[in-house]
Amino acid sequence: MRTDRRNFMKATLGAAAAAAAPYGFVKSINQAWGAQSWIKKGEPIKVGLLFSLTGGLAVPEEDSTLVMQYAIDEINKSGGIAGQPIEPVIVDAKSDFNVYSEKTKELILRNRVVAIFGCYTSASRKAILPTVMAQNHLLYYPTCYEGAECTQNTICTGPLANQHSKDLIPFMVQQFGKKVFFVGSNYVWPKESNKNAKVWLQQAGGELLGEEYIPLGSSEFGPVLNKIREAKPNFIFSTVVGASDIAFHKQFKQEGFKVDSMPIASLTTGEIETRAMGNEYGAGHFLSAPYFQGLDNPTNHKFVESFLKSKYGKNGVTHYNMEETYLSAYVFKYGLEKAIAKVGVEEVTPRAIRDNTGGIKVEDAVSPEGLIWIDDQNFNTWLKPKIGQCQADGSFKIVKSSAEHVAPDPYSIYPDLGKCTADGLKAADGKVRKGVI
């Protein structure tokens, strides 16, 4: 009987070990007992690319996937990271927030990627963050967002509202007049961005005539344009995204609106959207972004030429979202190199990369938009905001550029809520709340 029991226990433990084998078991003072190393010495470093290649968000997000592959190839050709190549695990999120969430779990638990690069909308980011935070993992969010968020698991290489609409709104008021109409896609980023824009508009002495939101992915703007026609604003402030953005600009022109008397000022309509809609529909409108394809510096000239000649440059342009995604690859590289130097390859965790990323710089020689760096408290990016006007050929002429880097401020219009620090959201009473989303 004892022999049978002993054999049963051995068989049970063996089966359990076999079931767990794909995830590996190691002992480590830096990782929980039983956890597999995220990176194994001599093996590829796996990262997840979680963008939409199909659906309404594919217009900007396909290019994010392409430019990440380009950056990974570039890094690998120069020796990889600590002599090990990066291996992308590419996922099509299909412009579906449920797919973003499901695939995040797969990337972390099944594919064992050490970091995820992904999302273009705040709705998709918020769909995956609970999983990222529960696993103490790491998301590189490479585009603009509204702020009012303080997690310890996100690194953002795009602009916040105080680096975006804070310049654009007063510029448009000064150039075209005080009356404005807001149009946005119906989800968290446009609505929260417009809360910021209202503050800047009030400070500029402007007047909000109307505010409309259309379903994400919708292409019907007739009713909204009728309201705009009645209101007669001096300009339109747009936070419409993806395929909807293209439809909005096309219908604006088709309905007889004139760009010289009522331009659209956007936070999203760059070179890729203009190319997709046709240059004639983008010409004359405005965009606020830290990067434009036409930036005149040696690094950008090299980036544009090399990328467009590569197998990844099939869409024919570069734009702000691509460049911010490209920067995130180098922020990852430099942060991982620091983490490896401190703890060794097999002791690196996603959180260790994040903790070694504060203060990381991407210098002029690498960054197409020029020097940027990661804030050591809120892990967003110091950058120089710019405003461009779309030209007849689809390029953008820079009409305003910040002379100095602007600090990212996630709570710029909510100072009473506290300050985002490396440990969490710190309130006036000194209490710190972690993982605020």
Side-chain angles (χ1 to χ4, degrees):
M1 183 70 74
R2 288 181 179 174
T3 302
D4 290 343
R5 186 174 185 277
R6 187 182 303 116
N7 289 339
F8 172 78
M9 291 299 292
K10 287 171 66 177
T12 301
L13 291 170
Y23 299 98
F25 281 80
V26 298
K27 291 180 180 179
S28 166
I29 60 172
N30 293 315
Q31 298 178 337
W33 193 93
Q36 179 188 9
S37 294
W38 290 97
I39 304 172
K40 293 184 178 180
K41 196 168 185 178
E43 294 186 6
I45 299 165
K46 287 188 177 182
V47 299
L49 308 190
L50 183 59
F51 297 102
S52 290
L53 305 178
T54 54
L57 296 174
V59 171
E61 291 199 29
E62 181 193 31
D63 278 353
S64 293
T65 302
L66 292 168
V67 80
M68 269 302 298
Q69 293 177 83
Y70 172 81
I72 288 169
D73 282 358
E74 196 173 64
I75 292 169
N76 286 344
K77 287 175 183 177
S78 66
I81 300 174
Q84 296 178 218
I86 305 172
E87 178 184 312
V89 180
I90 300 171
V91 174
D92 179 10
K94 301 179 181 180
S95 303
D96 185 324
F97 302 139
N98 291 324
V99 175
Y100 281 101
S101 179
E102 292 166 5
K103 294 302 181 181
T104 297
K105 295 172 186 175
E106 288 186 18
L107 285 168
I108 295 172
L109 299 175
R110 180 182 298 174
N111 300 113
R112 297 289 295 178
V113 300
V114 73
I116 295 173
F117 299 79
C119 306
Y120 174 73
T121 68
S122 288
S124 53
R125 185 186 73 255
K126 289 181 182 292
I128 76 172
L129 271 178
T131 298
V132 171
M133 291 160 62
Q135 298 295 325
N136 203 14
H137 211 264
L138 181 60
L139 169 67
Y140 287 83
Y141 185 67
T143 191
C144 59
Y145 79 111
E146 67 281 358
E149 187 172 289
C150 186
T151 80
Q152 288 66 63
N153 303 85
T154 311
I155 296 168
C156 178
T157 51
L160 288 167
N162 76 295
Q163 303 166 309
H164 222 190
S165 56
K166 189 174 184 178
D167 280 350
L168 182 59
I169 291 292
F171 172 84
M172 296 299 294
V173 168
Q174 183 180 24
Q175 296 294 318
F176 295 97
K178 296 180 179 181
K179 297 179 180 181
V180 59
F181 199 104
F182 287 1
V183 182
S185 295
N186 192 12
Y187 72 101
V188 61
W189 175 71
K191 291 184 175 181
E192 191 63 35
S193 291
N194 284 344
K195 289 181 183 178
N196 284 267
K198 288 173 188 175
V199 173
W200 320 139
L201 182 63
Q202 183 179 25
Q203 291 178 359
E207 179 185 356
L208 180 60
L209 301 183
E211 184 174 3
E212 293 289 327
Y213 296 94
I214 57 99
L216 190 62
S218 174
S219 60
E220 178 50 61
F221 285 90
V224 173
L225 288 169
N226 286 336
K227 291 181 180 180
I228 291 172
R229 196 186 306 276
E230 291 178 7
K232 298 179 181 179
N234 299 121
F235 68 96
I236 299 165
F237 178 67
S238 171
T239 47
V240 180
V241 304
S244 300
D245 186 26
I246 294 166
F248 180 44
H249 278 75
K250 292 182 77 170
Q251 290 174 39
F252 174 93
K253 185 176 179 65
Q254 291 165 354
E255 288 291 325
F257 289 93
K258 302 299 182 183
V259 68
D260 55 347
S261 59
M262 190 193 300
I264 299 171
S266 174
L267 301 182
T268 58
T269 313
E271 289 88 346
I272 190 66
E273 289 83 4
T274 302
R275 184 179 178 89
M277 70 178 71
N279 296 342
E280 67 272 23
Y281 297 106
H285 297 299
F286 293 84
L287 169 70
S288 175
Y291 172 83
F292 293 91
Q293 180 173 315
L295 288 182
D296 187 13
N297 67 68
T299 301
N300 186 49
H301 295 328
K302 179 182 177 182
F303 169 67
V304 172
E305 182 179 1
S306 298
F307 176 76
L308 295 183
K309 284 184 177 179
S310 77
K311 61 183 178 181
Y312 304 113
K314 66 177 186 176
N315 290 329
V317 294
T318 63
H319 59 98
Y320 70 94
N321 200 60
M322 288 175 59
E323 191 260 358
E324 290 156 11
T325 306
Y326 177 80
L327 292 179
S328 71
Y330 280 91
V331 171
F332 168 73
K333 168 181 161 64
Y334 300 150
L336 178 52
E337 287 173 343
K338 281 183 66 177
I340 289 172
K342 285 190 177 180
V343 301
V345 171
E346 298 202 354
E347 304 302 322
V348 166
T349 62
R351 182 56 183 268
I353 301 172
R354 180 269 189 187
D355 289 345
N356 283 279
T357 298
I360 286 288
K361 292 183 178 181
V362 184
E363 304 281 357
D364 290 338
V366 174
S367 171
E369 70 182 68
L371 170 68
I372 59 98
W373 65 89
I374 304 298
D375 190 86
D376 63 0
Q377 292 299 308
N378 58 49
F379 292 83
N380 290 275
T381 304
W382 288 67
L383 47 78
K384 292 183 177 181
K386 302 172 184 68
I387 298 172
Q389 184 178 29
C390 188
Q391 306 298 294
D393 62 356
S395 67
F396 281 77
K397 177 183 178 182
I398 308 300
V399 294
K400 184 177 180 181
S401 181
S402 173
E404 304 292 335
H405 286 81
V406 175
D409 186 357
Y411 292 87
S412 58
I413 66 168
Y414 303 112
D416 293 341
L417 293 181
K419 183 177 181 181
C420 186
T421 72
D423 297 322
L425 183 61
K426 187 174 182 180
D429 61 5
K431 292 182 179 179
V432 176
R433 295 168 56 207
K434 295 184 179 293
V436 179
I437 58 173

